[in-house]
Every structure is written in structure tokens, then in C-alpha cells.
Amino acid sequence: MTATQTPPARAPRRGLPSMTVLGPILALLVLLAIGMFLNENFLSHANITNVLARSAFIGIIAVGMTFVITAGGLDLSVGSMAAFIAGLMILVMNAALPALGIGVPIILLGMATAVAAGLAAGFLNGILITSLGIEAFIVTLGSMGIYRSLVTWLADGGTLSLDFGLRTFYRPVYYDGILGIGWPIIVFAVVVILGEIAMRSAVFGRHCAAIGSNDQVARYSSINVNRVRLMTYVFLGLLVGVATIMYVPRLGSASASTGLLWELEAIAAVIIGGTVLKGGFGRVWGTVIGVLILSLIGNILNLTDLVSPYLNGAIQGAIIILAVILQREGRAGG
Amino acid sequence: MKHLMTGLALGALLAATPALAQDTKVIGVSIPAATHGWAGGMNYFAQEAVERLEATYENLDFVLATASDPAKQVSDIEDMLATRNIDALVVLPFESEPLTGPVQGVAESGAWVTVVDRGLSQEGIEDLYVAGDNPGFGRVSGEYMASKLPDGGKIVVLRGIPTTIDNERVEGFQAATEGTGIEILAMEHGNWNRDDSFTVMQDFLSKYPEIDAVWASDDDMAIGVLAAIEASGREDIQFVLGGAGMKEMVKRTMDGDAMIPANVTYPPSMIATAIEITAVGLVSNAPVSGEFIIGSVLVTPENAGQYYFPDSPF
């Protein structure tokens, strides 16, 4: 039965790629064309590097978010979590400065703190959602408020700044790289490649999709649903930690306004890229395109004077909705 | 015996209460929570003023509430009036519109009202208005920019969160630089945020091959701008003018950093001025009603020491 039904269902996909695949790519190409047309510096090495490097934070987080959403979950706490981890990292590094001095060990200590805090924060979210069975929306809405308050409290309402000498030493992690490609871009690329492999070829990705489309069926297929869900949140927490490691050397500070609205940008990027918000289907490379689209809109609006800056948000919103409409029409037609 | 004791205690309490109410006056202070650097400094100075005044005046009692949104601030003020029966209210409104009604209610109850920084949307409610000078902030910044670039020059401007405050500052700046040969290449909102201003400045640097100076209009934004310039390796930008007097930036001006030759104050400590004057009005017969506008002062390496507060979080 199944064997005879499968080929006709797959046949159209082998012809032309459907709009769900083409939509985000087309949107990105259109944006690139507009950018090139409006400003000759748009394709300069410096501008491209800037855009890619600033996309890296949201991008690294959005890769983790792709798995969470694919498995039918959601995480609203990532922006606050990044701010909290950044604050914690700065405090730990400043506190260890007299003992360790400026050097590689203290940077490694800071990185270990970020990774450990990210794993712990992700685990906490995940365990509350899976073991206690509370809605992901509610748990992460709560933890979003908690982390945001904690960083404000740690900073005493002001700004936490990394010791100046330490910052100078740590700075190359954001600004330098290999062969003119910055470290944030390299780390982002590695995370994307690993994520793409995990989503497409590993058992983990298939389990996420199965749970997202129907967790009952997944359970009967002997998938450990709670464990896989928990893993998606832990994985996301880890990536928030990694993103923070790249973020702190940029300005060397954290405050209550760090990472504001990152969660919504990450979720928007995931959805623009073609992952289904209800879960069941995820696409890591699509998420990358979504992140680039969002960054490019801001970049192009800054490079031109076409639109009043008051309307930046409106244009971003319109493009997000357009990108998703394009995909829906493609789905209805194909 | 037991009844007699209770009766006596009750009698003593009844006798004591009116006397206490006559002597002790309660001042309510309602301010926004520390959501960004400037507000953090304002919270610090409010707490410090309350502690100092409570120690100075035995017959003054303070209630300090910080609110994370306008609705919470309205509830705070209603609670102060209902449960603490405040004699005076010092309020820095989160937003003008939603706070106008509740503050008017306080004024109608007969309590003294001091409004700080952001005016209410209806005039004549407050007894005392203490505020910074936003058009003046823009004007002082513009005049400094003009004096520093006597032969004219190309500058870019980072604006704050779109608000009346930001509009008044930018208008003051534009008026002061008009006809001086200073060309404003572009203005973009950096939202008083380091990350946003970093991004905007990177894009300005890609867009304009030559920039002489930057009006960052705020010290948080100046930090983002400086990081972007440093990363680009560009040498054409002579200096960055921030504002509001963040301690780290005032320190750099004090130490003679050529990139940050000056600052323009918009002191978060204005909340302390408001609390002090209100307290004086309650305990003495000195008249304190009216308006108190705190000027924006130019901070240069020569006078920076006066504006450097190492203990403040801002």
C-alpha cells in the first residue's frame, strides 16, 4: 500500500523546487539586488563582513530555535538569557582577574561560564516543560522576565563592563578571524553545518520532526518524547551561551537592554526560512536565509535615505509577512 | 487587671496617634524602574536623597516605589494615597498621558505634587516642576560642535528613541548648527542603545567615505559608535560627542581622550533636586512652588572633575 502511494507524492518535488524552497531564496536575491542598486558600497568586503558578523548572534540562536520549533516547542527567553549570561560572564571574568591575570586561561574561564550557564538555563526551561508538563510559552515567558530582572539586578540598574585590559585582550574574538573572515562568521557557519547535518541526517532531527507533527504517534513509535524535547532546549541554551561568547568582546558590556527582542527576531527568522511554527517540519538553511533577510533590511535602510527611519519596523514587518505569504501560495499551487 | 491594661494601652495609642499624624509627614516618590543606564542613575540618586533626608528630618517619612510600566506606576500612586495618606508626591511619569489622571487625583486630595522631567499632558496640576533642558541640551551640543569645527565639516547624528525629548534635542542642535558650515550627512535612530548605535554607525561608515565628527547625543550610543569606528580602522573621524554624563565617559574626557573631548550633562540626579526641594517645602515656610529647570552644562577636561561621580551606577 505505502510503497505504491509514495512515488506519485514525491514526483512533483523532483521537478521544479516548490515555492516553499524558492520563496526565501527569491526574497534574499531581491534584497541583494535592491542593495546593489541603491548603494555602491553595499557589496564591499567591509559591509558584507559587518552584516554577516552582526547576524551571527541571532543566527547561532536561531539554529537552536529551529530545532525547538520543529519539535513543537517555543522559547521566548533567549534574548534575556543572552543578557543574563553576558552579565554573569563579565562578573566572573572581572572577579577572576586578580587571581588569573590577563591571558588565555581567564578567557577560557569566561567561555566555560557562558557554556555552563547556557546549558543550565536551557535544562531548566526544558525540565519544567517536559517533566511538569507546563506550556512552553508560559515557562519561557516566565524565565524571560526572570533573566531580564536578574541582569538588571546584577548591573544595579546600570551597565556591567568588562575590565578595560581584559576587553582589549578578548576583543579579537569578535573583530579578528582567518583570511579576512571574522570569528563570529566562522562559528556561525560551523553551527549551521552541524545543525543542518543534525536536522537532515541524524536520528535527532527526524525525532524532532516526528514529535512536532504528532507527539502521540511519536510516543507509540517508541521515541522518548520528553528526552528529545528536553534536548532541544538544552541544545538551544548551549547555542545562546556560544552566541554570548561572541557578543561580549564586541562592546565588552551588558545591561538591561542587551539582547532585547532577540527572541522575536530569532523566531521570525526561523519562520521566514520555512520552518512550520506548529512544528513537524524544520529547515536549518532556511533559518540562515531568514536571519540574513532580517539583517539586510536594516542594513539597506541605513545605507539609503529612501524611507523615514520611523518606518523601519513597518518595512521589516511587511517583508516578514510577504515572505510567509509567498511560501503559502507556493504550497497551495504545488 | 488584664482588661485594665488593655484599656490603658488602647487609651495611650488613641492619644498618641493624632499627635503622630500631626508631626510626621509622608512624601511618596514614584519613579520608573532602572531599565537603562540613565534610569539606573536616577534610581541611585533617588535612594540616596531619601536616605539622607530621612536622617536629616525626623518628622519626614518616605515611600519609594519603582515601576516597570505606566500601569504599575498608576497602581503605586493609588496605593500611596489610599494606604499611606501621603502629604506630597514626587513623580517622574513613565508616560505623560496615562499618569495625568492619577496625579491630578493626588493633587485634588490636597497633597503637594512635584513633577520631574516629563511633564503631564494637562497644565497646572503640579505645584512644582523640576526638569532638564532638552532644547538646551541640543543647543549646547550644537554650539560645541560648531566651535570645534570652525571651518565646517561633515557629521552624522545618532538619535534616541523617537520621543518628544529626542525631537526637542535634535531641533535645538539643528538650530545651533545652522549656517555654521556644518553639514549633517544623515540622522538615524540608535535608540539610546549600544548595540543599535554600533550597527547604525557601521552602516554610516560604509555609506560615507568621509566623516569629520559624530554627534552620538548620548553616552551609551557614543560607546557603540566608538567601537564601530575602532573596528573599521578609519582615521577621518576627529571626535565623538556623547551626552548625559555617564561616569566612564566623563572620566575619559577628564583624562584628556582626544576622541571624547567633551560631554553635555542631562543629570539623572535631578530627581534628588526635586525630592530635596519638596522636603524643604514641607518642613519650612520657604516658598518652593513654580518651575526649576536644570541647565545642560558643557563638560570639558577642565571642569570634568566636578561632574565625575565614581559611586553612581551611571
Side-chain angles (χ1 to χ4, degrees):
Chain A
M1 262 303 264
T2 16
T4 48
Q5 273 175 352
T6 317
R10 275 197 178 171
R13 280 197 201 167
R14 292 224 174 115
L16 246 170
S18 69
M19 273 310 278
T20 59
V21 177
L22 280 180
I25 299 176
L26 276 180
L28 184 65
L29 290 177
V30 169
L31 275 177
L32 285 172
I34 293 175
M36 262 158 55
F37 175 71
L38 288 174
N39 194 304
E40 72 269 26
N41 290 331
F42 180 71
L43 282 185
S44 67
H45 175 257
N47 192 50
I48 295 292
T49 312
N50 284 345
V51 171
L52 286 175
R54 79 174 69 135
S55 307
F57 313 131
I58 305 274
I60 291 169
I61 294 172
V63 169
M65 190 69 86
T66 310
F67 285 88
V68 169
I69 292 180
T70 303
L74 192 67
D75 193 336
L76 296 173
S77 69
V78 289
S80 313
M81 198 194 281
F84 171 67
I85 296 174
L88 194 68
M89 207 175 148
I90 290 172
L91 280 180
V92 167
M93 287 168 84
N94 281 347
L97 186 58
L100 290 177
I102 295 172
V104 177
I106 197 164
I107 303 295
L108 292 178
L109 174 73
M111 290 178 173
T113 308
V115 166
L119 286 172
F123 181 79
L124 264 176
N125 275 342
I127 207 82
L128 287 171
I129 291 162
T130 54
S131 294
L132 298 180
I134 313 171
E135 280 289 334
F137 187 92
I138 298 301
V139 169
T140 57
L141 187 67
S143 49
M144 171 170 100
I146 293 169
Y147 294 130
R148 182 67 61 199
S149 299
L150 281 177
V151 72
T152 314
W153 177 69
L154 284 180
D156 200 9
T159 303
L160 288 165
S161 294
L162 199 59
D163 177 84
F164 187 75
L166 248 180
R167 208 212 126 199
T168 315
F169 186 76
Y170 192 9
R171 219 177 150 268
V173 172
Y174 181 83
Y175 293 100
D176 285 4
I178 311 173
L179 302 172
I181 304 169
W183 285 115
I185 304 173
I186 295 169
V187 172
F188 181 28
V190 169
V191 167
V192 167
I193 291 165
L194 291 178
E196 182 70 29
I197 292 170
M199 185 62 92
R200 284 214 176 189
S201 320
V203 178
F204 181 66
R206 285 202 292 278
H207 282 181
C208 286
I211 292 168
S213 58
N214 191 326
D215 61 343
Q216 288 302 325
V217 172
R219 199 161 279 133
Y220 295 142
S221 318
S222 78
I223 295 175
N224 190 340
V225 172
N226 275 352
R227 198 171 148 269
V228 173
R229 279 223 167 112
L230 176 62
M231 285 310 291
T232 61
Y233 289 100
V234 173
F235 182 44
L236 175 56
L238 169 70
L239 288 179
V240 172
V242 171
T244 312
I245 289 174
M246 313 308 303
Y247 171 81
V248 169
R250 184 166 86 171
L251 294 173
S253 67
S255 71
S257 62
T258 300
L260 216 54
L261 296 182
W262 281 10
E263 59 280 347
L264 293 186
E265 276 195 50
I267 294 168
V270 170
I271 304 308
I272 291 174
T275 297
V276 182
L277 185 55
K278 282 180 300 190
F281 177 74
R283 205 157 53 189
V284 171
W285 66 262
T287 299
V288 176
I289 294 196
V291 171
L292 293 180
I293 287 178
L294 287 179
S295 298
L296 280 178
I297 297 170
N299 180 242
I300 289 173
L301 289 173
N302 281 343
L303 287 179
T304 57
D305 310 310
L306 277 185
V307 193
S308 156
Y310 293 133
L311 288 172
N312 280 10
I315 294 190
Q316 260 171 351
I319 289 180
I320 292 171
I321 295 172
L322 254 172
V324 177
I325 289 176
L326 267 177
Q327 294 177 27
R328 270 182 63 96
E329 291 200 325
R331 198 167 300 156
Chain B
M1 191 58 190
K2 208 176 177 184
H3 284 285
L4 188 67
M5 284 294 278
T6 333
L8 274 174
L10 202 70
L13 199 73
L14 280 171
T17 318
L20 207 79
Q22 261 174 12
D23 284 341
T24 309
K25 291 191 169 166
V26 183
I27 299 180
V29 179
S30 170
I31 51 176
T35 47
H36 59 274
W38 190 88
M42 194 259 303
N43 273 261
Y44 165 83
F45 285 110
Q47 272 162 20
E48 199 198 46
V50 163
E51 275 166 32
R52 190 175 58 236
L53 290 169
E54 266 179 342
T56 316
Y57 303 113
E58 278 177 6
N59 53 348
L60 281 187
D61 209 0
F62 288 86
V63 199
L64 177 68
T66 61
S68 47
D69 59 80
K72 163 91 168 42
Q73 196 172 22
V74 170
S75 316
D76 285 347
I77 292 173
E78 284 169 356
D79 289 349
M80 283 179 189
L81 198 59
T83 62
R84 297 298 305 267
N85 197 20
I86 48 173
D87 298 282
L89 172 71
V90 178
V91 58
L92 198 161
F94 217 105
E95 280 170 25
S96 303
E97 293 291 338
L99 266 304
T100 300
V103 174
Q104 191 166 25
V106 174
E108 279 163 6
S109 80
W112 176 275
V113 172
T114 302
V115 173
V116 189
D117 196 33
R118 255 157 274 180
L120 299 172
S121 52
Q122 208 177 320
E123 279 179 31
I125 295 173
E126 68 271 10
D127 299 283
L128 171 66
Y129 180 57
V130 176
D133 181 7
N134 285 306
F137 178 92
R139 195 192 61 243
V140 172
S141 306
E143 283 166 1
Y144 179 76
M145 195 62 90
S147 73
K148 192 84 171 142
L149 297 169
D151 305 323
K154 293 180 172 137
I155 65 164
V156 291
V157 173
L158 282 101
R159 306 185 56 162
I161 295 170
T163 45
T164 319
I165 297 176
D166 182 61
N167 290 344
E168 286 178 356
R169 289 180 178 181
V170 171
E171 279 160 22
F173 183 84
Q174 282 173 318
T177 51
E178 216 175 78
T180 57
I182 286 179
E183 185 193 346
I184 299 175
L185 294 171
M187 296 202 223
E188 194 74 47
H189 290 276
N191 303 323
W192 292 318
N193 177 300
R194 296 179 181 195
D195 292 306
D196 290 357
S197 62
F198 177 83
T199 306
V200 169
M201 191 62 208
Q202 276 195 330
D203 290 345
F204 277 158
L205 289 168
S206 301
K207 190 176 172 186
Y208 300 108
E210 204 196 314
I211 299 170
D212 294 314
V214 182
W215 185 41
S217 80
D218 175 81
D219 285 336
D220 267 315
M221 291 205 284
I223 288 178
V225 166
L226 287 166
I229 295 173
E230 197 183 343
S232 73
R234 289 263 294 259
E235 304 273 336
D236 49 327
I237 295 115
Q238 298 165 24
F239 67 96
V240 176
L241 180 61
M246 181 191 286
K247 62 174 177 190
E248 288 86 359
M249 299 301 268
V250 174
K251 181 82 171 42
R252 286 173 75 169
T253 301
M254 200 159 86
D255 296 344
D257 190 327
M259 272 306 266
I260 308 137
N263 209 307
V264 179
T265 61
Y266 192 81
S269 49
M270 66 174 71
I271 189 75
T273 313
I275 299 173
E276 293 267 4
I277 300 178
T278 306
V280 167
L282 281 192
V283 298
S284 76
N285 51 14
V288 294
S289 58
E291 287 192 354
F292 193 107
I293 305 299
I294 297 162
S296 283
V297 183
L298 185 71
V299 178
T300 54
E302 288 76 41
N303 67 355
Q306 280 172 262
Y307 299 95
Y308 179 58
F309 307 106
D311 294 336
S312 158
F314 184 67

